Amino acid sequence: MDVAVSRGSLRIGIAAEDFLPWIGRDKSGKLFGFEVDVAQDLARVLGVRPEFVETPFADLLDALTAGRIDVIISAYSITTDRARLALFSVPYGQTDYYLLVDGKSLPASASDGDYDVEGYKIGVIADTIGEDIAARSFQKAEVVPFPDDNASREALSKGEVGAIIAATPIPNFMMMMEPDRYAIGSEPLYSSSEAVAVRPDSLRFINFIDEWIEENQASGRLQAARDYWFDSLDWEPRATGENEADIEKPAQ
Amino acid sequence: MDVAVSRGSLRIGIAAEDFLPWIGRDKSGKLFGFEVDVAQDLARVLGVRPEFVETPFADLLDALTAGRIDVIISAYSITTDRARLALFSVPYGQTDYYLLVDGKSLPASASDGDYDVEGYKIGVIADTIGEDIAARSFQKAEVVPFPDDNASREALSKGEVGAIIAATPIPNFMMMMEPDRYAIGSEPLYSSSEAVAVRPDSLRFINFIDEWIEENQASGRLQAARDYWFDSLDWEPRATGENEADIEKPAQ
Amino acid sequence: MDVAVSRGSLRIGIAAEDFLPWIGRDKSGKLFGFEVDVAQDLARVLGVRPEFVETPFADLLDALTAGRIDVIISAYSITTDRARLALFSVPYGQTDYYLLVDGKSLPASASDGDYDVEGYKIGVIADTIGEDIAARSFQKAEVVPFPDDNASREALSKGEVGAIIAATPIPNFMMMMEPDRYAIGSEPLYSSSEAVAVRPDSLRFINFIDEWIEENQASGRLQAARDYWFDSLDWEPRATGENEADIEKPAQ
């Protein structure tokens, strides 16, 4: 914390891959998304400039350990594997993972087990929790890794895979757009909590971050941000690069 | 923690201002209120004598930093500004802030925005979260600071201001007493969590305090204390100095 | 944490007394129960061998302080008394304590106070929270300590005591087996939270343990384990030593 304050900037590790509504780039390459807002607010309360260090998702923990970044703020789920090398804050988000099925490939079914058949392809994003979930949940189906969320969704859309592992709110958005085509299982395959990660010796910093999250939760500001990014598509013109003047920003 | 234990007393920073049911003085000047009970219980489990250091609310953080007190227990809300200079425990309370309106000055309205008009006066307690909330929520109305809760309520009662920012349970008590006169908006303007604050190097102490709060929450003792102070007026004779023998104390 | 990792084993303090479904031994003396599963999973995520150090419940804190064990995982409730000498993790369990009454000795009553009469005997397990609860809740009845849960339940069954203090899910199991005989009060006498305890200087270790609990809670794995141990009797053949092949194990 003191290092960032004396440097005058917070080095934020954020995924180089697009993963909207969490993380994306507009047509000019400018970062935006829920995680970007969260990170900017942390820099603001620290009184420093946010310095985004775009890093492949799979390399974020290495970048933290090596000191190239001060924090990971990147829809980063708490796992014991990661907790071996990082301290986590209290969670500021919760994500459910569903099997999102293209009804063209197999009929919608009440049981996810019905999709675990030879020759059925399930798309995942490589090196994420989704890949682990697929490996655990499906033994017969083929798990196909994609470099990022766009590639995985495109493969589903083109019929190259029959289903993908998708994190909320993505399944909702897909079903809204093509309600006759996509369906999800009734139960999430997995759920995880997202938090800020810092280096293991930063106990003081993590306590500060915890209180910032507590304040934003108690005050309702965190929920307002979640409503904008996860329960609306008001942010979508920002992704497609339409006139900024038309874009409705979240109330802060 | 060790310092307080070897000294044999816990130096508790508590607001010098009255703010019942959290903090008040009876006719003999003796401290009482929800926060006083909380602080006395912490001293008890530490096995030391509680030593209350009555300090203007706005000076509590300075007193903690300067080492004049060991802890702040004073309906002290978690904010990132304060977390820069103090460690907070897990919350032991949650407070909602409402606009409490005198129906004589303006008719009760469904929207708090209807009160944000030129010439309308809204009373707040100076240097508290209420003052920040008013500044953020009302641009046209005049925000009038008062030294303490009594002064702010008296100004409302005398018609010197049209409304005040009031923390639960105060709006309920006011509306109980004069149901035809006072009203609140349907949504709180803000909510905050109250916790114990210690110096930033006291990680061990804050963990002990967290477990004490956890035990009191799990066992229902904290809720029993809240019921007595925030959902009843059984404590009121203590404020007016009536015969102590008649006063019903909370079950512990 | 580092000590356990470099040693290659986690020394787990667990009660020497039986207390199923938390802790028990099968006919061959092998440990099993909810707490055993919890402890084995912690060793697994640390990548080390679990080494159970069976210790009388009342001596667990001494064993931790003396360094004979690394952690206490033993249905160990958070109390401020214990927090003076140990760091606790976030809770991974919650237990309610009821007065479990034998309807043969006194008729079932709506109020626990009706059982607080001269000559009435209430059994407890010595040196546990149950003994403290009985001492606080009953002044006239005689509180009779037993060395462990089996002895306390046997005394109730034989009519040697009229009631016992029993922790969930034990009252449910007893009432399931003899619905016409046993009854409980409508409200728990007390509730507590169970957590992992480590030495006070192990702040880094407790953070790792917190994240492991957070992950297991978010993913639903902790609830699945609780369902197996606390809401079913599928584990019972393991206690009676029946053919292991017939035993249904919890889904992990």
Side-chain angles (χ1 to χ4, degrees):
Chain A
M1 184 155 92
D2 294 336
V3 173
V5 169
S6 58
R7 188 199 298 131
S9 77
L10 181 69
R11 291 189 183 146
I12 301 147
I14 196 161
E17 298 89 351
D18 276 1
F19 192 46
L20 280 169
W22 289 273
I23 302 159
R25 282 89 190 157
D26 63 21
K27 285 207 169 164
S28 68
K30 199 161 153 279
L31 269 168
F32 79 109
F34 174 70
E35 301 293 323
V36 179
D37 283 1
V38 167
Q40 280 171 335
D41 194 61
L42 178 59
R44 181 186 64 79
V45 298
L46 282 168
V48 300
R49 189 172 51 84
E51 188 181 333
F52 287 96
V53 181
E54 299 176 47
T55 306
F57 190 85
D59 299 340
L60 284 167
L61 200 50
D62 282 349
L64 183 70
T65 303
R68 290 195 299 274
I69 55 178
D70 300 317
V71 293
I72 299 174
I73 298 181
S74 187
Y76 209 62
S77 296
I78 295 174
T79 73
T80 30
D81 269 347
R82 293 169 183 171
R84 249 185 282 276
L85 296 167
L87 284 190
F88 278 97
S89 70
V90 296
Y92 63 85
Q94 173 101 22
T95 296
D96 297 325
Y97 296 82
Y98 286 92
L99 188 72
L100 178 67
V101 176
D102 176 1
K104 284 185 189 165
S105 69
L106 270 184
S109 160
S111 161
D112 288 337
D114 293 346
Y115 301 107
D116 192 14
V117 292
E118 300 276 351
Y120 193 65
K121 288 181 182 174
I122 297 172
V124 298
I125 310 173
D127 298 315
T128 65
I129 280 191
E131 189 170 24
D132 299 339
I133 296 167
R136 270 201 307 271
S137 308
F138 302 98
Q139 275 75 45
K140 294 178 190 155
E142 182 187 352
V143 176
V144 184
F146 291 94
D148 61 25
D149 175 59
N150 286 337
S152 145
R153 287 205 263 173
E154 207 175 289
L156 182 69
S157 169
K158 290 184 174 166
E160 293 167 13
V161 295
I164 60 171
I165 306 287
T168 47
I170 287 173
N172 301 340
F173 290 160
M174 301 282 281
M175 291 188 296
M176 253 195 276
M177 289 187 285
E178 296 187 64
D180 296 337
R181 180 170 180 190
Y182 297 117
I184 56 164
S186 58
E187 293 289 314
L189 291 170
Y190 194 79
S191 299
S192 72
S193 301
E194 289 84 50
V196 179
V198 299
R199 272 182 295 280
D201 58 357
S202 307
L203 279 163
R204 172 70 186 105
F205 192 11
I206 214 67
N207 184 281
F208 177 82
I209 292 171
D210 283 354
E211 305 313 344
W212 160 70
I213 293 170
E214 173 69 36
E215 184 185 13
N216 282 339
Q217 247 159 1
S219 70
R221 294 179 63 209
L222 191 59
Q223 189 55 52
R226 297 191 67 83
D227 290 347
Y228 173 82
W229 289 106
F230 298 119
D231 288 328
S232 92
L233 283 169
D234 293 345
W235 51 267
E236 228 186 11
R238 297 164 74 175
T240 54
E242 287 178 22
N243 191 336
E244 278 246 336
D246 296 339
I247 298 172
E248 192 179 332
K249 295 226 177 166
Q252 286 282 348
Chain B
M1 184 156 93
D2 295 337
V3 173
V5 169
S6 57
R7 188 199 298 130
S9 78
L10 180 69
R11 292 189 182 145
I12 301 146
I14 196 162
E17 298 89 352
D18 277 1
F19 192 45
L20 280 169
W22 289 272
I23 302 159
R25 282 88 189 159
D26 63 20
K27 285 209 168 162
S28 67
K30 200 161 152 277
L31 271 168
F32 78 110
F34 173 71
E35 301 293 324
V36 179
D37 283 2
V38 167
Q40 280 172 334
D41 193 60
L42 178 58
R44 180 186 65 77
V45 298
L46 282 168
V48 300
R49 190 172 50 84
E51 188 181 335
F52 288 97
V53 181
E54 299 176 47
T55 305
F57 189 85
D59 299 341
L60 284 167
L61 201 51
D62 282 349
L64 183 71
T65 303
R68 290 195 299 274
I69 55 178
D70 301 317
V71 293
I72 299 175
I73 299 182
S74 187
Y76 209 62
S77 296
I78 295 173
T79 72
T80 28
D81 270 346
R82 294 169 183 171
R84 247 185 283 276
L85 296 167
L87 285 190
F88 277 97
S89 70
V90 296
Y92 62 85
Q94 172 100 21
T95 297
D96 297 324
Y97 297 81
Y98 286 92
L99 188 72
L100 178 66
V101 176
D102 176 1
K104 284 185 188 165
S105 68
L106 271 183
S109 160
S111 160
D112 287 337
D114 293 346
Y115 301 107
D116 193 15
V117 292
E118 300 276 351
Y120 193 65
K121 287 182 182 173
I122 297 172
V124 298
I125 310 174
D127 299 315
T128 64
I129 280 190
E131 188 169 25
D132 299 338
I133 296 167
R136 271 201 306 271
S137 308
F138 302 98
Q139 275 74 45
K140 294 178 190 155
E142 181 188 352
V143 176
V144 184
F146 290 94
D148 61 25
D149 175 59
N150 286 338
S152 144
R153 286 204 264 173
E154 206 175 289
L156 182 68
S157 168
K158 288 184 177 167
E160 292 168 13
V161 296
I164 60 172
I165 306 287
T168 46
I170 288 173
N172 301 340
F173 290 159
M174 302 281 281
M175 290 188 295
M176 252 194 276
M177 289 186 285
E178 296 187 63
D180 296 338
R181 180 170 179 190
Y182 296 117
I184 57 165
S186 58
E187 292 291 313
L189 291 170
Y190 195 78
S191 300
S192 72
S193 301
E194 290 85 48
V196 179
V198 299
R199 272 182 296 280
D201 57 357
S202 307
L203 279 163
R204 172 69 185 106
F205 193 12
I206 214 68
N207 184 283
F208 177 82
I209 293 171
D210 283 355
E211 305 314 343
W212 160 69
I213 293 170
E214 174 69 36
E215 184 185 12
N216 283 338
Q217 246 158 3
S219 70
R221 292 178 64 207
L222 191 60
Q223 189 56 51
R226 296 192 68 82
D227 290 346
Y228 173 82
W229 288 106
F230 298 119
D231 287 330
S232 91
L233 283 168
D234 293 343
W235 51 267
E236 229 186 11
R238 297 164 74 176
T240 53
E242 287 178 23
N243 191 336
E244 279 244 336
D246 295 339
I247 298 171
E248 194 180 329
K249 295 226 176 165
Q252 285 283 347
Chain C
M1 184 155 94
D2 295 337
V3 173
V5 169
S6 58
R7 189 200 298 129
S9 78
L10 180 69
R11 292 188 182 147
I12 301 146
I14 196 161
E17 298 89 350
D18 276 2
F19 192 46
L20 281 169
W22 289 273
I23 301 158
R25 282 89 190 159
D26 63 20
K27 284 208 170 165
S28 67
K30 200 161 154 276
L31 269 168
F32 79 109
F34 173 71
E35 301 293 324
V36 178
D37 283 1
V38 167
Q40 280 172 335
D41 194 60
L42 178 58
R44 181 186 64 79
V45 299
L46 282 168
V48 300
R49 189 171 52 83
E51 187 182 334
F52 287 97
V53 181
E54 299 177 47
T55 305
F57 189 84
D59 298 340
L60 284 166
L61 201 50
D62 281 350
L64 183 71
T65 303
R68 289 195 299 274
I69 56 178
D70 300 317
V71 293
I72 299 174
I73 299 182
S74 187
Y76 209 62
S77 297
I78 295 174
T79 72
T80 29
D81 269 347
R82 294 169 183 171
R84 248 186 281 277
L85 296 167
L87 284 190
F88 278 96
S89 70
V90 296
Y92 62 85
Q94 173 101 20
T95 296
D96 297 325
Y97 296 82
Y98 286 92
L99 188 72
L100 178 66
V101 176
D102 176 1
K104 284 186 190 165
S105 69
L106 270 184
S109 161
S111 161
D112 287 337
D114 294 345
Y115 301 107
D116 193 14
V117 291
E118 299 276 351
Y120 193 66
K121 288 182 180 172
I122 297 171
V124 298
I125 310 174
D127 298 314
T128 64
I129 281 191
E131 188 170 25
D132 299 340
I133 297 167
R136 271 201 307 273
S137 307
F138 301 99
Q139 277 74 45
K140 294 178 190 156
E142 182 188 351
V143 176
V144 184
F146 291 94
D148 60 25
D149 176 58
N150 286 338
S152 146
R153 285 205 264 174
E154 206 175 289
L156 182 69
S157 169
K158 289 183 177 169
E160 292 167 12
V161 296
I164 60 172
I165 305 289
T168 46
I170 288 173
N172 301 340
F173 290 160
M174 301 282 281
M175 291 188 296
M176 251 194 275
M177 290 187 283
E178 296 187 64
D180 296 338
R181 180 170 179 189
Y182 297 117
I184 55 164
S186 58
E187 292 290 312
L189 291 170
Y190 195 79
S191 299
S192 73
S193 301
E194 289 84 50
V196 179
V198 299
R199 272 182 295 280
D201 57 358
S202 306
L203 279 163
R204 172 70 185 106
F205 193 11
I206 214 68
N207 185 282
F208 177 83
I209 293 172
D210 283 354
E211 305 314 343
W212 161 70
I213 293 170
E214 175 67 37
E215 184 185 14
N216 283 337
Q217 247 158 2
S219 70
R221 293 179 63 210
L222 191 60
Q223 190 56 50
R226 297 191 67 82
D227 290 347
Y228 173 82
W229 288 106
F230 298 120
D231 287 329
S232 90
L233 283 169
D234 294 344
W235 50 267
E236 227 185 12
R238 296 165 74 177
T240 53
E242 288 178 21
N243 190 337
E244 278 244 338
D246 296 340
I247 299 171
E248 193 179 330
K249 296 225 176 165
Q252 285 283 348

